[in-house]
Each structure stands twice: as C-alpha cells, then as structure tokens.
Amino acid sequence: SERSGFRPTPYAAPGKMATQLSGNASTAPQASHQFEPSSKSLPTTITREYSIDDTPTSFLLQCFSDRIFVSVSQLKGKLGTLLSCNMEYSMIDGSKTYDVTTLLGVRDDALLEIYARQITERIMSLGNVDQWGASEGGGTSSGPSVLLGIALDKKKGGGRDQETFRTIVDLVLDMYVEAVRIASSP
C-alpha cells in the first residue's frame, strides 16, 4: 500500500521560499506470491516537486540496503551529472574522510561535488545510518554511499547562490528523514 506522510504546505528556508508542487512516499506493496520480493527488500522511495525561485525542481530519494540514491533536477527530470560520495573513518586517527567521484557527466564543476559532499555529511550527522556496515575499501564506513544525480538550470542561476544551495540540501535531508521513518515503521 502507498504510504504518505507529508502535508502540501510551503517549505520556508531563511530568505527563500520553496513550495511543494507534488510528491509521494511509498514502499512496495506486500508480496502475495512466494517468488515475489517482500516490501522490506525493496527500496523506500520518496518523490517531490518544489518550485525553488520559480524554477520547478524535482526530487527523488531512494534508500537501498547499501546506498542512498538522490536525484535533483531542474531540467525536466534529466539525471544530469552522477556523483558518488563515501565517508570513511581513518583507522589511524579516527578522522572522517569524504571521497567524491564523478561517475557520469560534467567533471569540471566543483559546486556539484560540494552538493554531494554536503548532502552526505548532513545524512551522516543524523546518526540514522547504523544499518550499513563496513565499506568495501580499506577504511570503515559509518554509513551508506550516496549517489547524487544533479541537473541544475544554469540559465536560472544553476543553484549557485547560497540560499538555493541551503534550500536544496535541506529539502533532501527532510526527504531522507521521512524515508528512514517509513522504512523503520512496522
């Protein structure tokens, strides 16, 4: 059954207004056949559409068992640049290291890497990432990899101002919190 836990009310960030246009939150329906996957094995998916500075912006967040996929698009659903961000603890001094890799798309735009790192840092700071174990690399991961597909409209600023940046990151974090709540509900 489809679950919905949001109210279509305006989201207000300091000095910025983002109005939710549409969206849903869902997990897969319960399986009735023994060969169909159970709803617990499928990702929790949340989609939203907001107007950020009069620019329609679609969001998608999927929580898988080993990673989180986020898509932010101001270009009519195009995936844009795909980045991967991982956080690892140093075994030597306990410090955190973030590794951002551009998998597809624009490789010379540092702002996209900043979006990926900031979203990952904020998710890790929430502390709801205990279900993910050690990374495949040499360090110990404190959480899942974050895959970010991001396509910002450069004609309308491209998400380069500080207020738009904060609004986008805050909206992704709100969606993540909702996904964790849905995934952990009975």
Side-chain angles (χ1 to χ4, degrees):
S1 66
E2 187 169 336
R3 299 180 192 180
S4 180
F6 70 92
R7 289 180 235 143
T9 56
Y11 173 86
K16 179 99 26 199
M17 184 64 155
T19 305
Q20 182 171 337
L21 302 175
S22 67
N24 67 40
S26 67
T27 56
Q30 285 287 0
S32 59
H33 190 275
Q34 68 180 3
F35 297 110
E36 294 178 13
S38 75
S39 63
K40 292 291 183 185
S41 68
L42 299 174
T44 300
T45 301
I46 296 178
T47 60
R48 299 280 186 275
E49 188 166 307
Y50 295 94
S51 177
I52 300 175
D53 287 338
D54 297 324
T55 304
T57 308
S58 60
F59 291 79
L60 171 101
L61 183 131
Q62 291 185 303
C63 292
F64 293 88
S65 62
D66 63 341
R67 66 195 69 223
I68 298 166
F69 175 71
V70 177
S71 174
V72 178
S73 181
Q74 294 179 330
L75 301 176
K76 298 184 183 186
K78 292 184 180 178
L79 183 60
T81 300
L82 183 63
L83 302 111
S84 173
C85 188
N86 302 299
M87 183 186 86
E88 294 185 356
Y89 283 112
S90 168
M91 297 176 76
I92 297 169
D93 63 1
S95 64
K96 297 175 189 174
T97 304
Y98 292 88
D99 177 42
V100 180
T101 305
T102 302
L103 303 174
L104 297 168
V106 178
R107 297 184 184 276
D108 61 350
D109 191 345
L111 180 65
L112 301 180
E113 293 182 9
I114 293 169
Y115 269 102
R117 179 177 170 147
Q118 183 70 120
I119 289 169
T120 303
E121 281 187 46
R122 298 272 307 273
I123 286 173
M124 298 304 163
S125 73
L126 293 175
N128 294 329
V129 293
D130 293 335
Q131 69 243 37
W132 290 279
S135 68
E136 294 175 11
T140 302
S141 175
S142 71
S145 298
V146 174
L147 294 176
L148 173 65
I150 188 163
L152 301 174
D153 190 349
K154 291 187 179 184
K155 294 177 188 171
K156 296 186 178 183
R160 297 192 176 281
D161 65 278
Q162 195 172 32
E163 292 177 28
T164 300
F165 178 86
R166 284 187 187 142
T167 299
I168 288 172
V169 172
D170 287 346
L171 289 170
V172 169
L173 264 286
D174 290 347
M175 290 172 63
Y176 175 74
V177 168
E178 182 179 351
V180 169
R181 182 183 51 77
I182 289 170
S184 63
S185 68

